[in-house]
Amino acid sequence: MSPKHSKSNDVNPILTILYDKTFRSVVYQILVFGGVFLLGWYLVSNTLANLRAQDIATGFGFLDREAAFGISESVIAYSADDSYGRALLVGITNTLKVASIGIVLATILGTIIGIATVSKNWLLRFIGVTYIETFRNIPVLLQLIFWYAVITRGLPGLRSALNPIEGVFLSNRGLYIPVMANHPAWTWVGVGFIAGIAGAFFLRRWSLKRLEATGHIFPHLSVGLGIIVAVPFLVWLVFGAPTEMNVPKIDTFNFQGGARMSPEFTALLLGLTLYTTTYIAEVVRSGIQSVPYGQTEAATSLGLRSSWIMRLIVLPQALRVIIPPLTNQYLNLTKNSSLAVAIGYPDLVSVSNTTMNQTGQAVEGVAIFMTVYLSISLLVSLFMNWYNKRMSLVER
Amino acid sequence: MTEQSRLSDRESVIQVKKMNKWFGDFHVLTDIDLDVKQGERIVICGPSGSGKSTLIRCLNRLEEHQEGDIIVNGIELGDNVKNIEVIRKDVCMVFQHFNLFPHLTVLDNLTLAPMFVLKQPKKEAEATAMKFLERVKIAEQAHKFPGQLSGGQQQRVAIARSLCMNPKVMLFDEPTSALDPEMIKEVLDVMIELAEDGMTMLCVTHEMGFAKQVADRVIFMDAGQIVEENEPHEFFDNPKNDRTKLFLSQILGH
Amino acid sequence: MTETTNRARPVSGPVVNRSLRWMKENLFSTPLNAAITLFCIYIIWSVLDVLVSWAVINASFGAAKEACETATGACWAYVHDMWRFLLFGTYPSELHWRPLVAMIMLTSGMLLSMNRRFWSPWLAVAWIVGFIAVYFVLRGGILGLTPVRTAQWGGLTLTLVLAVVGIAFAAPLALLLALGRRSDMPLIKVVCIVVIEVFRGVPLISVLFMASVMFPLFLPEGVSIDVLLRAQIGIIFFQAAYLAEVFRGGMQAIPKGQYEAADSLGLNYWQKTFKIILPQALRLVIPPTMSTFISLFKDTSLVVIIGLFDLLAATRAAVNDPMWRQQFVEAYLFIALIYFCFCFFMSRYSAYLDNDLKKSTSH
């Protein structure tokens, strides 16, 4: 015994162990982990017992069985003869469809409103803030149900459908819009559009190279936009400029032709977009405000014009702040699209719910959609970690 | 004496006549008259809140004045956007908090404005940038980010960034106030060198040693007015105004 | 000195001039700005025009439905007819005083807790006592009160119960999860990370489905837990996961020096955490904490999907009344206003508290 310990010689050796840090840490961990393990084991064994008692087969075998229920709208081909697995796949694609369109719309609208809230114009700020405060303080589910009720009850029926623009019909059966009639030209116009984007991209690279080499600035933004518009237009002309349209018409029992957005899809898209917009606007606002004013001042005193200051100094710094919470909002929108079940849009949760009710495979059903959402979330957060590492400012 | 007379013969770079400025109802600058000659080194001092920073920020239109005239290189500084652009190319500012762009490397910080404002090719801009980085003795840090440098190094980069624009006038807004004592000297050395090379400088600072060593003229401001101005020896040894005396006794008192 | 500060700016003067100057600076500084201003005025005008003429000018305020048949605007008779149903759901109407008392207890408890003077450990005790009281007021079965099944609880009462109980239990759970995730004991850390990330990764609706469909399977034969309680537990865990990340962010923002100072003074883990770190960390995260609470409040509306009868569900049932089929706008706007008032009040309070604490800890 070292002299240091001589005073505590009379202390019980068991107490010394009890006060040992490592010992305590091990005990705590065993307690917590053991508790969690026991709880899990208890729940699993109960579940198995219950399933046996109710005569429900466990496992995912039911996925191959015939679903025997219809789905009102679908991106991929589906009929009631298809399997449950196919039905769930339809649900996933429907979820992705509404989420991706909603994300695009909410980003555009959110950016506009976010910029409005930092405007120098007091009234514009006022409108932006009022919009944000109103739509974010009302539950999104209430908004969805409201828009659905507006479309299905507030809008007139087939016979007296609203016809705001020639060929556009708005009724309680959804929104019908004219589309281009089938013609090989349109495929090539699409190809031309993609080629135009690629062209604009290469133009940008070329102009930046030239800027570095000669110092001459080329207006790649406006010329690039021009290319994106002009190339598909020329392709369209080359194919004889087809103008035939597939215009919806009112038939005896329904609309014929045109493209349809169902009431469920329209309400869901509208509600999700308007709600998520408020959060995105806040993200954009705080991103812009996060760039210290000294940055703008320094750039100004170097003689940079305000459009260049925005592009070279403010935006790159603001985007670092904006992108992580923005991705979070995209995830939230995707997760909120599960509220579709309340208004009958056949998304993943809605289809799983039907499946669970028909087969009794509650555990598997919930497990499937939780897994899908979890994997989307995990993929996105992996991407975000990578992005943050790459983009974080280097500091001492 | 001879130097003084030579100065007065020179061309004026900046002329400020009866300039007034308000922040809301607060009168920050009152009837400022100032004539800056080519190659003149001016130090502006005064208690905090006396309007000295605002004065030099008006000179490249970071702040707008409401009354009076500011003429830089014979061009009137007013609402005319073209004039403002031309003047900003010639008048550069070094800030108290450096305001380097944290998302760009040191080298990119320096080449940005020459490329986009002066339309220099990248190679040329980089060559100039490296020249000035060497001059402020920091060339080896060219590819680091501002956040990786010490305060003194950052301020020297900021000075080099201004020099790359080949300015006719440099404005310094308390360039050493945010620095640790041991870093002040490295920044002042760079500024002294600049002064010796004949750069026209307006410098808001409390570094009285610097003022004595390089200034042609010291201006004392209080409550938005120029209270006293004189060449350094007279200013420090024989201040006329009571407010100047009080200020000097406080700042040199220990 | 005086002669400089007293000289007024040339354009400034009496109130009229001042407001003109304000308008020039904020609304008409450039031609573009002036155009934007006119555009904004047009938008505000058209929205107000539609809204005011529908809700006030052309509306009928009478209590009778007949009046609505002639009115082209809103029919507020509907709200007049329905408000009791919206507030109390299917709770037996002769006993409506009981949910009213419960709601008053919950809201006044919230209001009192918002006052910093009452912040003490006793507040937690008071809340626990309060919850027990609210429970028995609603459920009855003692002191001669008629028993009312939880399935009959509904309307705004149920929404408030879910929200307040949710907040009260999610916060301490979140604290434990956050501390666990920052712990240096690997097993505890892993458990907390899994709980947090799983709940954050899935939609609330799936948690509620799990509570309503799967939870009964978890329990042994013959044991069952009330669906309201299951939903409540689901909501608590879901929001606690989000809140835990908020708290963790606050703790990460506390400089290392604070931990070192506390250690060097010989404070143990819990003292360090509760006396030094948490008071500072929670202060930093007041705004995100409050917005999590606001989310929780809004998210209580999701219980309608698993068949509970909250404010939204009551409204949804009410608008299916064939007599009032076209009055769904009034009904939904009315409850939107209720939700809005609660959420807006919470967000204002968060801003106030943030400012107030900032003031009291600096200088």
Side-chain angles (χ1 to χ4, degrees):
Chain A
M1 276 272 156
S2 62
K4 227 171 47 182
H5 286 144
S6 57
K7 267 185 197 165
S8 47
N9 260 350
D10 48 353
V11 171
N12 189 332
I14 295 177
L15 279 183
T16 346
I17 292 181
L18 279 183
Y19 286 123
D20 184 74
K21 213 178 155 207
T22 329
F23 175 76
R24 280 190 163 193
S25 147
V26 169
V27 170
Y28 286 144
Q29 297 190 56
I30 290 175
L31 285 180
V32 169
F33 207 76
V36 170
F37 181 80
L38 283 179
L39 184 71
W41 181 76
Y42 175 71
L43 295 181
V44 169
S45 63
N46 275 335
T47 311
L48 291 178
N50 281 325
L51 289 176
R52 227 172 301 133
Q54 292 176 21
D55 227 10
I56 300 172
T58 49
F60 292 91
F62 71 98
L63 286 178
D64 295 327
R65 299 214 307 265
E66 189 189 309
F69 62 89
I71 296 180
S72 59
E73 58 188 296
S74 159
V75 181
I76 55 176
Y78 173 83
S79 73
D81 307 334
D82 284 323
S83 65
Y84 282 115
R86 180 92 183 165
L88 289 170
L89 197 62
V90 169
I92 294 177
T93 51
N94 277 340
T95 293
L96 293 178
K97 173 181 156 198
V98 73
S100 49
I101 299 178
I103 282 171
V104 172
L105 293 181
T107 308
I108 296 171
L109 203 57
T111 310
I112 293 172
I113 290 175
I115 291 174
T117 55
V118 291
S119 148
K120 282 185 187 134
N121 189 305
W122 182 86
L123 260 185
L124 195 60
R125 277 200 317 263
F126 172 79
I127 291 185
V129 171
T130 311
Y131 174 87
I132 293 177
E133 289 292 347
T134 312
F135 282 86
R136 88 182 300 175
N137 281 328
I138 299 173
V140 60
L141 181 61
L142 171 55
Q143 297 190 37
L144 295 182
I145 292 178
F146 176 76
W147 293 123
Y148 187 59
V150 166
I151 293 172
T152 52
R153 291 188 186 184
L155 291 179
L158 173 69
R159 292 272 132 225
S160 47
L162 295 180
N163 195 355
I165 314 165
E166 187 59 41
V168 174
F169 290 99
L170 198 56
S171 72
N172 56 13
R173 298 190 186 195
L175 177 68
Y176 283 78
I177 50 171
V179 286
M180 295 302 162
N182 271 340
H183 189 284
W186 297 114
T187 321
W188 291 105
V189 169
V191 172
F193 180 69
I194 293 167
I197 291 176
F201 177 74
F202 284 115
L203 180 79
R204 180 171 171 273
R205 282 191 36 186
W206 170 80
S207 80
L208 287 182
K209 271 219 181 89
R210 196 178 77 133
L211 176 69
E212 285 183 4
T214 64
H216 292 295
I217 296 175
F218 184 81
H220 65 254
L221 216 62
S222 38
V223 176
L225 276 178
I227 290 178
I228 294 176
V229 176
V231 171
F233 182 71
L234 284 177
V235 172
W236 180 69
L237 283 183
V238 166
F239 275 89
T243 52
E244 198 197 333
M245 303 272 281
N246 179 1
V247 184
K249 284 183 220 51
I250 298 181
D251 204 356
T252 332
F253 299 113
N254 208 339
F255 291 96
Q256 293 297 327
R260 170 182 190 247
M261 276 167 72
S262 71
E264 293 80 18
F265 179 78
T266 315
L268 185 62
L269 185 64
L270 192 63
L272 288 178
T273 305
L274 293 181
Y275 183 74
T276 313
T277 292
T278 66
Y279 286 89
I280 292 182
E282 283 286 286
V283 167
V284 170
R285 182 188 60 78
S286 60
I288 293 175
Q289 285 180 342
S290 73
V291 183
Y293 191 62
Q295 294 287 310
T296 311
E297 275 188 343
T300 311
S301 78
L302 288 171
L304 284 172
R305 287 198 194 161
S306 53
S307 57
W308 285 108
I309 296 178
M310 197 66 191
R311 255 156 71 187
L312 297 172
I313 307 299
V314 178
L315 266 187
Q317 295 188 54
L319 279 182
R320 272 168 219 272
V321 180
I322 288 176
I323 287 185
L326 189 65
T327 341
N328 238 341
Q329 290 312 323
Y330 291 168
L331 273 182
N332 279 348
L333 188 145
T334 312
K335 284 187 261 173
N336 280 337
S337 74
S338 62
L339 298 178
V341 66
I343 56 173
Y345 174 75
D347 82 318
L348 174 61
V349 173
S350 176
V351 174
S352 312
N353 197 25
T354 317
T355 308
M356 285 190 284
N357 288 340
Q358 287 196 359
T359 60
Q361 308 274 4
V363 180
E364 292 82 356
V366 173
I368 285 174
F369 68 70
M370 280 187 128
T371 313
V372 171
Y373 280 106
L374 261 183
S375 6
I376 295 177
S377 300
L378 285 180
L379 278 179
V380 171
S381 51
L382 281 181
F383 166 77
M384 275 334 293
N385 281 345
W386 169 81
Y387 174 85
N388 283 337
K389 275 217 185 84
R390 217 179 75 99
M391 297 300 280
S392 64
L393 290 181
V394 186
E395 300 210 11
R396 0 183 340 108
Chain B
M1 261 332 188
T2 49
E3 202 190 337
Q4 281 299 90
S5 53
R6 252 192 288 137
L7 256 182
S8 59
D9 293 340
R10 287 193 202 158
E11 219 178 305
S12 291
V13 189
I14 297 178
Q15 286 169 295
V16 179
K17 288 174 195 156
K18 282 261 170 224
M19 194 250 282
N20 277 286
K21 170 160 183 61
W22 288 263
F23 282 134
D25 285 334
F26 178 63
H27 200 172
V28 241
L29 292 174
T30 309
D31 293 336
I32 302 290
D33 282 303
L34 183 65
D35 191 65
V36 184
K37 301 288 185 196
Q38 177 81 49
E40 194 175 11
R41 282 93 63 173
I42 296 177
V43 164
I44 304 171
C45 60
S48 61
S50 59
K52 42 194 199 311
S53 287
T54 312
L55 170 59
I56 66 167
R57 286 161 65 87
C58 283
L59 298 182
N60 72 346
R61 197 72 172 180
L62 287 178
E63 303 279 357
E64 286 176 30
H65 61 284
Q66 279 102 12
E67 266 183 14
D69 300 319
I70 300 177
I71 294 161
V72 182
N73 277 330
I75 301 170
E76 157 116 42
L77 186 56
D79 284 331
N80 185 321
V81 182
K82 274 274 165 270
N83 285 357
I84 296 175
E85 277 180 14
V86 172
I87 288 172
R88 279 186 181 149
K89 280 181 205 167
D90 287 340
V91 182
C92 276
M93 168 87 87
V94 174
F95 298 86
Q96 182 180 357
H97 296 288
F98 334 130
N99 291 351
L100 294 177
F101 306 127
H103 61 303
L104 303 175
T105 62
V106 166
L107 190 61
D108 289 339
N109 261 282
L110 266 66
T111 54
L112 181 90
M115 280 167 65
F116 285 91
V117 180
L118 304 180
K119 325 265 186 233
Q120 289 175 2
K122 187 171 186 179
K123 275 217 175 95
E124 190 187 324
E126 279 182 351
T128 327
M130 288 311 293
K131 189 179 87 192
F132 284 116
L133 280 178
E134 260 154 42
R135 192 160 157 194
V136 301
K137 302 181 185 65
I138 207 162
E140 72 281 3
Q141 315 277 21
H143 296 286
K144 288 196 179 167
F145 285 91
Q148 294 169 296
L149 305 183
S150 74
Q153 289 172 321
Q154 290 196 42
Q155 192 61 295
R156 284 186 281 151
V157 172
I159 293 173
R161 180 172 73 177
S162 295
L163 288 174
C164 285
M165 293 296 288
N166 195 17
K168 297 204 169 67
V169 182
M170 281 185 73
L171 309 172
F172 291 85
D173 186 2
E174 308 207 24
T176 56
S177 306
L179 297 178
D180 291 337
E182 75 271 19
M183 292 170 185
I184 292 179
K185 190 174 173 300
E186 61 185 61
V187 172
L188 287 180
D189 285 347
V190 170
M191 289 168 64
I192 290 168
E193 231 178 84
L194 267 181
E196 283 164 356
D197 288 353
M199 174 65 73
T200 314
M201 295 163 69
L202 271 90
C203 203
V204 172
T205 182
H206 291 145
E207 295 298 328
M208 291 305 144
F210 174 76
K212 282 178 188 160
Q213 193 179 343
V214 303
D216 297 311
R217 187 157 35 129
V218 180
I219 290 176
F220 173 70
M221 288 184 71
D222 191 15
Q225 286 175 312
I226 295 181
V227 175
E228 185 165 351
E229 52 183 313
N230 218 327
E231 55 110 7
H233 283 296
E234 275 296 298
F235 181 84
F236 288 111
D237 300 340
N238 194 9
K240 310 234 165 16
N241 192 296
D242 286 345
R243 281 191 264 171
T244 319
K245 285 177 193 159
L246 179 66
F247 176 74
L248 285 177
S249 74
Q250 281 167 344
I251 203 164
L252 302 169
H254 31 262
Chain C
M1 195 112 178
T2 43
E3 76 275 5
T4 56
T5 45
N6 279 351
R7 202 175 120 183
R9 185 177 164 179
V11 280
S12 114
V15 183
V16 180
N17 282 349
R18 223 179 250 233
S19 46
L20 278 178
R21 197 171 86 210
W22 181 88
M23 282 172 72
K24 186 180 179 304
E25 278 167 8
N26 290 289
L27 299 176
F28 300 100
S29 57
T30 60
L32 176 69
N33 215 338
I36 292 175
T37 301
L38 292 178
F39 179 67
C40 290
I41 291 175
Y42 171 73
I43 288 186
I44 293 176
W45 171 255
S46 18
V47 170
L48 277 186
D49 185 38
V50 171
L51 216 60
V52 171
S53 55
W54 177 79
V56 183
I57 300 174
N58 296 331
S60 81
F61 291 91
K65 187 183 188 292
E66 290 68 44
C68 293
E69 272 153 24
T70 51
T72 53
C75 170
W76 296 117
Y78 177 75
V79 171
H80 196 268
D81 201 46
M82 274 300 156
W83 67 269
R84 274 175 89 113
F85 185 62
L86 298 185
L87 292 193
F88 307 122
T90 51
Y91 208 89
S93 57
E94 67 283 4
L95 300 175
H96 275 177
W97 64 271
R98 275 161 52 183
L100 190 66
V101 167
M103 278 203 278
I104 292 172
M105 284 173 71
L106 289 173
T107 35
S108 53
M110 289 279 269
L111 289 174
L112 287 180
S113 308
M114 284 178 167
N115 194 323
R116 281 171 61 204
R117 262 185 306 168
F118 296 113
W119 288 6
S120 76
W122 288 108
L123 193 63
V125 178
W127 269 110
I128 292 171
V129 174
F131 280 138
I132 295 171
V134 166
Y135 177 71
F136 280 109
V137 166
L138 284 174
R139 203 202 67 146
I142 53 159
L143 301 172
L145 295 173
T146 328
V148 178
R149 284 176 300 118
T150 56
Q152 286 177 288
W153 302 7
L156 183 61
T157 321
L158 186 67
T159 297
L160 278 181
V161 167
L162 284 169
V164 179
V165 175
I167 289 174
F169 284 89
L173 179 59
L175 205 54
L176 286 180
L177 286 172
L179 289 174
R181 190 165 184 174
R182 279 177 66 77
S183 152
D184 42 18
M185 299 180 230
L187 282 180
I188 291 183
K189 195 170 172 173
V190 165
V191 169
C192 292
I193 290 179
V194 169
V195 170
I196 290 175
E197 292 306 330
V198 166
F199 277 101
R200 276 161 46 91
V202 299
L204 175 56
I205 189 71
S206 64
V207 176
L208 291 178
F209 266 133
M210 203 156 120
S212 78
V213 188
M214 270 169 79
F215 207 82
L217 293 175
F218 289 161
L219 297 174
E221 197 82 68
V223 180
S224 72
I225 296 184
D226 190 81
V227 66
L228 174 59
L229 184 60
R230 283 185 260 147
Q232 181 77 72
I233 292 173
I235 290 176
I236 289 172
F237 268 89
F238 184 78
Q239 299 291 354
Y242 281 86
L243 204 51
E245 286 298 276
V246 170
F247 289 165
R248 190 170 71 104
M251 285 186 242
Q252 267 173 344
I254 302 300
K256 229 175 156 188
Q258 293 291 316
Y259 290 88
E260 288 168 357
D263 284 338
S264 75
L265 288 171
L267 301 180
N268 69 27
Y269 176 80
W270 295 106
Q271 290 167 328
K272 181 172 71 178
T273 305
F274 280 96
K275 298 283 176 201
I276 312 294
I277 306 306
L278 281 183
Q280 301 183 60
L282 296 187
R283 234 253 74 208
L284 285 178
V285 294
I286 286 172
T289 304
M290 278 312 260
S291 50
T292 313
F293 288 162
I294 294 175
S295 295
L296 189 150
F297 186 84
K298 289 186 291 186
D299 283 349
T300 57
S301 62
L302 265 62
V303 297
V304 63
I305 296 175
I306 57 165
L308 290 180
F309 212 71
D310 74 325
L311 179 57
L312 180 57
T315 317
R316 228 182 166 192
V319 300
N320 283 334
D321 182 344
M323 193 171 113
W324 299 106
R325 255 189 86 71
Q326 282 311 312
Q327 269 67 48
F328 66 92
V329 181
E330 287 87 332
Y332 285 133
L333 281 189
F334 178 70
I335 65 160
L337 194 67
I338 295 180
Y339 278 113
F340 176 84
C341 288
F342 276 100
C343 296
F344 189 69
F345 176 72
M346 284 200 265
S347 75
R348 289 302 97 184
Y349 171 71
S350 141
Y352 155 79
L353 186 64
D354 198 30
N355 257 325
D356 198 44
L357 283 174
K358 230 174 244 162
K359 254 188 263 160
S360 63
T361 49
S362 59
H363 299 286

